[in-house]
Amino acid sequence: MSVIEIKNLHKIYNESEVKVHAVNGINLSFEQGEFAAIVGPSGSGKTTLLNMIGGLDSPTEGQIIVGGTEINKLKAGKLIDFRMRNIGFVFQAYNLIPVLTAKENVEFIMHLQGVSKQDREKRTKELLIAVGLGDRINSRPSKLSGGQQQRVAVARALASKPKFVLADEPTANLDSKSTENLLDIMEKLNKEENITFIFSTHDARVVKKAHRVITVEDGKVISDERK
Amino acid sequence: MIWSISWRNVWRNKTRSIVVISAIALGIFAGVFSTAFMKGMTDQRIESAIETEISHIQIHQPGFRESSEIDLLIDNSDSLINNLQKNPAIANVSRRIIINAMAASAETSSGIKLIGVYPKAESKVTTIHNKIIEGEYFKGVKRNPVVVGKKLAEKLNLRLHSKIILTFQDFEGNITGAACRIAGIYNTNNSLLDELNVYIKFTDLQKLTEIPKNTNHEIAINLYNNLTANDVSKNLSKEYPSLEILPWQTLKPELGYMSALMDVYMYIFIVIILFALGFGIVNTMLMVVLERVKEIGMLMAVGMNRLRVFNMIVLETIFLTLTGGIVGIIFGTIIAKYFSLHPINLTWYSQGLSAIGWDSRVYTSVNFQMILIVTVLVILTGIVAAIYPAIKALRNDPAEALRTE
């Protein structure tokens, strides 16, 4: 069964003036445990598509069904709760909370979910060890390198035990060593824990690692290849 | 964790936060100290009026206070005073004969209020005996000793042991007089009182005016607790319905109003300070929200609901405001406490202040209830100042916010 089903998805910006079809009739589905990359040139609509899958943006038309729930029909409050429980996010600029340590950044979502302190601490430790930062749990983001910060962001995205992780250009700000390291970690988590990862990326290294590559251009899927 | 984030966020931009906290601290310090100063002045005025003029409760025949008629006497005052002294709320009692008189020296004369007192009893009710600057309280003069104020002594050009001629009406309505000698000169820092009140021994005045024994015009009562004045006077009025028994707040209503009015002024003053500070806080928090658009967008994206985002901004504002408020309150209280023991000397204005009955040495009065109210007001200011920036934060669209640089 599909984790995500996208049916006839449209997103039109500036509806009253010049219409821009950022997403123009996309149909896709993702299975549990996929390691997929959405690629395409700038302005092709890949980030808009990712935002709509993550419930951050609403479609002008079409349906997004995540685990049987049509998320574009959810009210704002329910949608925030849905995101918290089902979707993990990794952003290009890491977006960690600068006043919290690595451990606290990972714990944060579990705190919002109401997970007990004991369980939070246990899972945080496991995740930070899994991303290779077991020795930096008490470091603040400003004391970590870009690659390390992005690894904390991956741990944070996984903390809530989401159905899938959406990563928007996760390697755009990283050097090649950090990129390789981060991709290895995500691939390992995908293989060992069957976590679904969907990337939007320009990065050839990500495309190379991905098991499925969806190419988007002018808001349409022009190819969908599985390796 | 939201509390922790909010608190740590206060210190993200240390310079800016310290500037805002200092402004709040300074404003609150000014508010706390000025109110302690004003309260101290008012309390001193009330205390001084009670101690030197009116005492806590006075008993008269109805109409005496308005007309000062010599025949409006309290009868059987011995038994009345005996009963009063048995009342557990009453500390001391002093009986007085009060008549209007003319005081004359070799050079000039002046209208005065002649008050006949038992020195020992009077000294337990008022503090005139402690305000003697020359001579002694009814000592050192054998015949008709009187105690006069410094201002009157200056006006009539009198010195210690000078002769003073007092002219007044006796009980029969005849003009009579007496030659008295000044045993002591007092100075209360209230020039109105110092010019008007002349004290003479009760027995001397009783003899001179031929007022019947066991009677007098006024009974002044000193209580153990100032705050019970209203209740005690009400109870006594029920017991002695034919007498006019009034607490100090009614005897000198301006003092009661002054106290209440000063409280209102103090709160208005603090509210104005906080209102002005509120704008500064709103401005700072708007900058904070603007700087953190992306971060707030991320928080909303990963599942922080609007209420939590709102609370986070409100808490940060409260922490910022309260930190400044507490610093201001602590410094204001410490400084005010210091000046409650070491008076502020307003010597430059002493003449003007004395003319309206105020002391030029001001002991500040730290009121802990007021400090509690100021703390609550500071928190309220934080909450109110946070509302607009927090609403601004909530207007962020997570997808758009995440795109900002």
Side-chain angles (χ1 to χ4, degrees):
Chain A
M1 190 190 158
S2 303
V3 180
I4 305 165
E5 268 189 87
I6 297 164
K7 293 178 183 171
N8 190 30
L9 200 67
H10 289 263
K11 178 71 185 180
I12 305 168
Y13 287 114
N14 296 328
E15 287 173 66
S16 58
E17 295 162 21
V18 184
K19 287 187 176 179
V20 176
H21 264 91
V23 171
N24 194 0
I26 287 180
N27 291 287
L28 280 172
S29 67
F30 295 91
E31 305 297 322
Q32 183 66 44
E34 283 207 57
F35 200 68
I38 301 171
V39 298
S42 289
S44 59
K46 55 186 189 304
T47 298
T48 306
L49 176 61
L50 212 68
N51 281 344
M52 286 195 286
I53 297 172
L56 297 176
D57 220 342
S58 54
T60 311
E61 198 185 322
Q63 287 178 302
I64 303 160
I65 301 159
V66 176
T69 305
E70 195 177 336
I71 63 167
N72 49 308
K73 293 257 170 84
L74 292 175
K75 286 189 176 166
K78 293 250 183 208
L79 187 59
I80 290 174
D81 194 61
F82 186 86
R83 281 202 299 264
M84 179 177 71
R85 297 186 188 282
N86 296 283
I87 309 170
F89 290 92
V90 179
F91 306 100
Q92 180 182 336
Y94 330 131
N95 290 1
L96 298 175
I97 303 170
V99 294
L100 299 183
T101 61
K103 174 179 170 274
E104 289 165 335
N105 264 288
V106 177
E107 265 190 289
F108 179 66
I109 292 181
M110 288 187 275
H111 176 80
L112 295 180
Q113 287 180 315
V115 176
S116 73
K117 195 179 175 207
Q118 203 183 350
D119 290 348
R120 277 197 324 246
E121 285 183 352
K122 187 169 170 258
R123 183 152 175 81
T124 302
K125 208 173 166 188
E126 284 169 4
L127 285 167
L128 284 171
I129 290 169
V131 296
L133 290 171
D135 56 339
R136 305 302 303 270
I137 58 168
N138 291 319
S139 301
R140 287 209 181 174
S142 59
K143 302 285 176 201
L144 299 172
S145 69
Q148 287 171 326
Q149 286 188 54
Q150 198 61 302
R151 281 189 270 156
V152 175
V154 170
R156 178 181 66 184
L158 297 172
S160 61
K161 297 186 179 169
K163 286 195 169 69
F164 59 92
V165 173
L166 296 175
D168 186 15
E169 309 267 11
T171 58
N173 294 344
L174 302 183
D175 58 33
S176 54
K177 198 180 166 197
S178 299
T179 300
E180 198 175 325
N181 189 258
L182 184 76
L183 289 170
D184 285 347
I185 288 165
M186 291 200 277
E187 196 176 28
K188 188 170 165 238
L189 287 164
N190 169 253
K191 272 183 192 159
E192 289 177 2
E193 298 191 24
N194 202 31
I195 295 165
T196 310
F197 280 89
I198 303 170
F199 305 93
S200 107
T201 187
H202 282 108
D203 194 333
R205 293 164 298 188
V206 181
V207 177
K208 199 177 154 194
K209 286 265 185 191
H211 306 158
R212 180 182 175 190
V213 180
I214 300 157
T215 309
V216 178
E217 229 176 86
D218 297 329
K220 291 179 180 171
V221 175
I222 57 162
S223 73
D224 185 353
E225 292 171 28
R226 288 170 198 271
K227 293 180 189 170
Chain B
M1 194 170 256
I2 287 172
W3 288 68
S4 165
I5 294 174
S6 300
W7 173 247
R8 292 186 205 176
N9 274 340
V10 170
W11 304 106
R12 267 166 87 162
N13 188 331
K14 281 199 181 75
T15 313
R16 183 174 60 201
S17 293
I18 287 171
V19 168
V20 178
I21 286 168
S22 304
I24 297 167
L26 207 66
I28 299 297
F29 166 80
V32 169
F33 183 74
S34 336
T35 48
F37 179 81
M38 283 147 76
K39 181 102 179 97
M41 261 187 122
T42 316
D43 286 355
Q44 258 174 273
R45 172 72 188 103
I46 293 169
E47 213 171 283
S48 150
I50 289 171
E51 282 179 355
T52 56
E53 298 170 57
I54 46 177
S55 63
H56 292 127
I57 294 173
Q58 287 184 1
I59 303 178
H60 307 99
Q61 272 294 351
F64 177 79
R65 285 194 314 127
E66 293 80 22
S67 65
S68 300
E69 291 289 338
I70 196 167
D71 55 349
L72 287 173
L73 290 161
I74 300 168
D75 297 322
N76 294 321
S77 57
D78 290 348
S79 72
L80 173 59
I81 284 170
N82 274 338
N83 284 342
L84 291 173
Q85 280 167 338
K86 285 175 195 160
N87 189 318
I90 294 172
N92 292 295
V93 178
S94 174
R95 69 178 88 183
R96 297 165 179 167
I97 294 171
I98 300 174
I99 56 170
N100 292 323
M102 185 63 77
S105 65
E107 290 172 28
T108 184
S109 62
S110 178
I112 57 146
K113 190 156 98 175
L114 189 59
I115 305 170
V117 295
Y118 283 103
K120 204 173 164 189
E122 184 68 17
S123 62
K124 287 178 183 169
V125 175
T126 60
T127 56
I128 294 292
H129 62 290
N130 287 333
K131 314 275 182 192
I132 301 289
I133 52 167
E134 273 184 76
E136 284 183 80
Y137 192 58
F138 292 109
K139 283 181 185 166
V141 172
K142 279 185 181 169
R143 198 160 170 268
N144 292 343
V146 290
V147 173
V148 301
K150 185 185 166 200
K151 185 88 178 170
L152 184 70
E154 282 169 1
K155 191 176 175 185
L156 300 183
N157 199 16
L158 296 167
R159 287 186 206 149
L160 192 63
H161 300 153
S162 290
K163 195 200 268 184
I164 179 171
I165 306 296
L166 302 175
T167 312
F168 45 86
Q169 267 189 336
D170 68 10
F171 192 63
E172 299 300 327
N174 302 316
I175 299 292
T176 182
C180 304
R181 283 207 183 264
I182 295 173
I185 298 173
Y186 67 87
N187 180 14
T188 61
N189 283 328
N190 178 348
S191 54
L192 295 171
L193 184 118
D194 292 0
E195 193 178 335
L196 193 66
N197 287 4
V198 173
Y199 296 89
I200 186 167
K201 280 186 175 173
F202 188 95
T203 44
D204 291 345
L205 191 57
Q206 193 179 39
K207 217 179 286 172
L208 291 166
T209 52
E210 295 175 2
I211 281 175
K213 288 195 173 171
N214 202 14
T215 64
N216 58 270
H217 292 120
E218 182 174 284
I219 294 171
I221 296 172
N222 196 12
L223 299 173
Y224 286 109
N225 183 356
N226 173 19
L227 301 174
T228 60
N230 261 315
D231 292 337
V232 175
S233 69
K234 267 182 204 161
N235 290 339
L236 290 176
S237 294
K238 278 181 202 160
E239 213 174 323
Y240 305 101
S242 63
L243 296 172
E244 185 185 67
I245 302 171
L246 300 172
W248 64 268
Q249 293 96 328
T250 315
L251 290 163
K252 285 260 181 186
E254 69 274 19
L255 293 180
Y257 295 143
M258 195 195 302
S259 180
L261 207 63
M262 203 53 85
D263 284 347
V264 174
Y265 281 153
M266 286 190 297
Y267 293 126
I268 291 174
F269 187 53
I270 293 277
V271 166
I272 290 171
I273 290 175
L274 287 172
F275 194 71
L277 289 172
F279 282 101
I281 299 163
V282 169
N283 186 41
T284 305
M285 290 313 292
L286 278 175
M287 281 200 286
V288 163
V289 167
L290 205 67
E291 279 170 8
R292 296 191 205 146
V293 165
K294 196 166 190 167
E295 189 178 314
I296 292 166
M298 179 278 294
L299 290 170
M300 291 167 93
V302 300
M304 193 165 174
N305 64 31
R306 285 167 184 271
L307 182 66
R308 281 178 160 142
V309 173
F310 186 87
N311 287 346
M312 186 180 74
I313 303 290
V314 171
L315 274 176
E316 186 174 338
T317 319
I318 291 174
F319 286 145
L320 185 77
T321 316
L322 202 57
T323 306
I326 286 172
V327 171
I329 287 170
I330 289 173
F331 274 101
T333 309
I334 289 172
I335 304 286
K337 203 80 189 147
Y338 174 82
F339 284 111
S340 71
L341 301 170
H342 307 87
I344 299 166
N345 211 334
L346 303 174
T347 319
W348 292 345
Y349 307 105
S350 62
Q351 273 195 328
L353 288 169
S354 159
I356 52 168
W358 296 75
D359 201 330
S360 60
R361 284 155 53 87
V362 180
Y363 290 87
T364 52
S365 169
V366 181
N367 180 344
F368 286 97
Q369 189 195 347
M370 193 266 295
I371 287 171
L372 192 73
I373 291 172
V374 170
T375 311
V376 172
L377 286 174
V378 166
I379 295 171
L380 280 177
T381 306
I383 294 171
V384 173
I387 290 172
Y388 182 58
I391 289 171
K392 271 269 191 202
L394 292 185
R395 283 187 189 148
N396 277 329
D397 172 54
E400 234 171 78
L402 284 164
R403 278 196 287 270
T404 56
E405 288 305 318

